[in-house]
Amino acid sequence: MTLTLDVNLPGDLDRFRLPRAVNDRLQTLLDRQDAGETLAPQEREEAEGLANLAELLTLLRMRAERLMP
């Protein structure tokens, strides 16, 4: 299946990033996991969702950069 989205690109492509507090939370969860700490199921889901969102925003930013003159 192909999904096509029309997106109005902001002039500031940095908007295609996680907000600092959200990114900090993701990093905290990943650091704990990397240190061998077992995350609670809810924390694992949170980390996975935030990582997926960060990846999507990165892809959008990269595509936008390619389209901008």
Side-chain angles (χ1 to χ4, degrees):
M1 174 185 344
T2 300
L3 175 65
T4 303
L5 299 173
D6 289 326
V7 177
N8 292 326
L9 299 175
D12 181 9
L13 293 180
D14 277 343
R15 292 179 61 194
F16 285 115
R17 296 183 194 278
L18 290 177
R20 182 184 267 302
V22 176
N23 189 63
D24 289 349
R25 174 64 177 160
L26 173 57
Q27 194 59 54
T28 297
L29 292 170
L30 294 177
D31 287 346
R32 286 176 46 204
Q33 187 176 23
D34 289 346
E37 186 177 333
T38 301
L39 299 179
Q42 182 180 358
E43 291 175 318
R44 249 190 344 269
E45 288 179 26
E46 180 183 5
E48 184 177 318
L50 292 175
N52 288 339
L53 178 57
E55 183 177 336
L56 174 62
L57 291 173
T58 298
L59 291 173
L60 286 172
R61 190 176 62 251
M62 290 172 60
R63 293 241 173 143
E65 287 170 351
R66 281 188 21 210
L67 295 174
M68 297 196 73

